[in-house]
Amino acid sequence: MEKDFLYKNRSFSSCLNTAYEWFCDNFKTIIRVTWLPVLLYSIFGGLLLIGALRDPRVQAFAQNSPGLFLTLFILAGIGMLVCGLWAWARFLSLLNGMTCKTNILRMLIAFLCYTVIISIVGTLVVGGAFLLIRHLGVTPQLFITDNWLVCLVSIIIIILLILPLIYSFMKYMFKTESNFLLDLHKTYPTGLKHLGFIFITIFITSIIAGIIAIVISLPQVILMMAQIISAFGVLHGDPSGMPGYFIPLHGTTTAITSILLFYLSTYTMLVTMFMYGSIEKEEEERHSSLINEEEPTDNDNSFKTI
């Protein structure tokens, strides 16, 4: 993607509109680059769900061949993870121009860093809330039920502390010379400075994507509810009542849903990318204006420190 197009001042609504236009204009290219890993990802996802079904036929196979069943289940999970990384790496290659291998490595590093940071932040915030509630004389068993407001505030604080990391991640994925952890002391304060812009952009995008995801997932939810009701009936001695084609139907529906949800998530990534480009442009302009203000004029012989 051209830098002049990415690094441009945009409002949150402009980020959403630009992401939608770019997605539509380059849809064929996105499909051409990602169709194979996405297809394999969806197939493994369907197989993984079939393995988790409480269907008498699936349970019978698991009981008769537990080693084979466990092996297939684990391989499906690994295949889904690998193909998911592969698909995202190829999609990101369209945006940042890096190789698929480089994107996979950077995503893994960022994921590990995210996991560690979120674990530390979550432990500190929840631990602080827990100590506060204990200080108020409430027993731990009633931590959530009697202190829902404290828990809600804790969740909000965790989310607000994590949001600036989105900017850190995007800068790491788009700047070849950047290092996620070593540059965190610079990227996190920048993200924190633009927290309001990041929050409203992610919030609106999440609402839009969430509504679309619910619609896409409706067939999957209906089949899942039917399977749960049937499983409860079997536990009480009733026959299954599920047709013979239910398992392949459920697996196929899961695969199709996974494909649609993946391409929906690529749109949210595009919004995040244009949000990052807007922040970068604003920071660049602010830095340039500071330098211009601090440069001495021809009539001013005094020295100014930058």
Side-chain angles (χ1 to χ4, degrees):
M1 178 176 291
E2 296 181 359
K3 292 184 177 180
D4 293 339
F5 182 66
L6 174 60
Y7 299 109
K8 183 183 295 185
N9 270 324
R10 293 182 173 94
S11 63
F12 75 90
S13 59
S14 178
C15 290
L16 269 68
N17 292 331
T18 307
Y20 175 75
E21 292 173 358
W22 194 92
F23 181 83
C24 293
D25 293 340
N26 298 274
F27 183 70
K28 291 183 179 180
T29 304
I30 296 173
I31 296 295
R32 177 177 55 81
V33 170
T34 61
W35 73 269
L36 180 57
V38 171
L39 179 62
L40 294 175
Y41 167 83
S42 65
I43 292 174
F44 284 121
L47 293 175
L48 199 64
L49 179 128
I50 290 175
L53 287 177
R54 296 187 62 84
D55 187 273
R57 289 164 294 180
V58 176
Q59 291 181 328
F61 174 70
Q63 292 173 358
N64 296 330
S65 305
L68 178 59
F69 175 81
L70 183 61
T71 301
L72 292 176
F73 191 80
I74 293 175
L75 288 177
I78 295 174
M80 189 176 181
L81 176 62
V82 171
C83 292
L85 283 172
W86 181 20
W88 274 111
R90 298 200 68 174
F91 175 71
L92 286 171
S93 295
L94 290 175
L95 307 179
N96 58 17
M98 299 182 190
T99 63
C100 184
K101 181 179 179 181
T102 301
N103 281 325
I104 290 177
L105 181 61
R106 284 180 168 249
M107 282 191 295
L108 288 174
I109 293 173
F111 175 77
L112 292 175
C113 294
Y114 257 104
T115 303
V116 172
I117 293 173
I118 292 174
S119 299
I120 294 174
V121 171
T123 301
L124 292 177
V125 174
V126 174
F130 183 81
L131 292 176
L132 174 62
I133 292 175
R134 287 296 301 272
H135 180 72
L136 297 176
V138 181
T139 57
Q141 289 79 7
L142 304 177
F143 180 81
I144 296 178
T145 56
D146 284 6
N147 298 276
W148 62 270
L149 184 59
V150 176
C151 296
L152 179 62
V153 172
S154 300
I155 294 173
I156 294 175
I157 291 174
I158 292 174
I159 293 174
L160 292 178
L161 290 175
I162 291 173
L163 279 177
L165 291 174
I166 296 176
Y167 170 79
S168 302
F169 170 76
M170 296 305 295
K171 191 176 183 68
Y172 178 62
M173 295 307 299
F174 279 85
K175 296 290 185 180
T176 55
E177 69 279 4
S178 64
N179 184 291
F180 190 87
L181 285 180
L182 296 181
D183 293 341
L184 196 60
H185 69 285
K186 295 184 294 185
T187 58
Y188 187 83
T190 302
L192 199 61
K193 187 192 308 180
H194 297 273
L195 179 60
F197 178 57
I198 295 175
F199 174 79
I200 190 65
T201 304
I202 298 300
F203 181 71
I204 299 298
T205 305
S206 299
I207 291 177
I208 296 173
I211 294 174
I212 298 174
I214 290 174
V215 175
I216 292 174
S217 303
L218 275 179
Q220 174 77 5
V221 173
I222 293 172
L223 291 175
M224 186 66 71
M225 292 301 299
Q227 193 277 328
I228 292 174
I229 294 173
S230 176
F232 272 112
V234 172
L235 287 176
H236 289 84
D238 297 331
S240 175
M242 285 295 178
Y245 58 82
F246 179 78
I247 292 179
L249 175 63
H250 205 169
T252 303
T253 303
T254 301
I256 295 174
T257 303
S258 300
I259 293 173
L260 296 176
L261 290 178
F262 174 83
Y263 288 111
L264 175 63
S265 63
T266 59
Y267 168 73
T268 63
M269 174 63 76
L270 289 171
V271 175
T272 308
M273 179 191 69
F274 288 117
M275 178 191 73
Y276 154 76
S278 178
I279 295 175
E280 282 288 274
K281 184 64 176 180
E282 185 175 340
E283 287 295 308
E284 179 185 342
E285 292 177 350
R286 186 184 65 83
H287 184 67
S288 299
S289 63
L290 288 176
I291 293 178
N292 292 333
E293 289 176 0
E294 294 177 357
E295 283 182 351
T297 61
D298 293 338
N299 297 326
D300 186 4
N301 294 324
S302 62
F303 291 95
K304 298 183 179 181
T305 304
I306 297 179

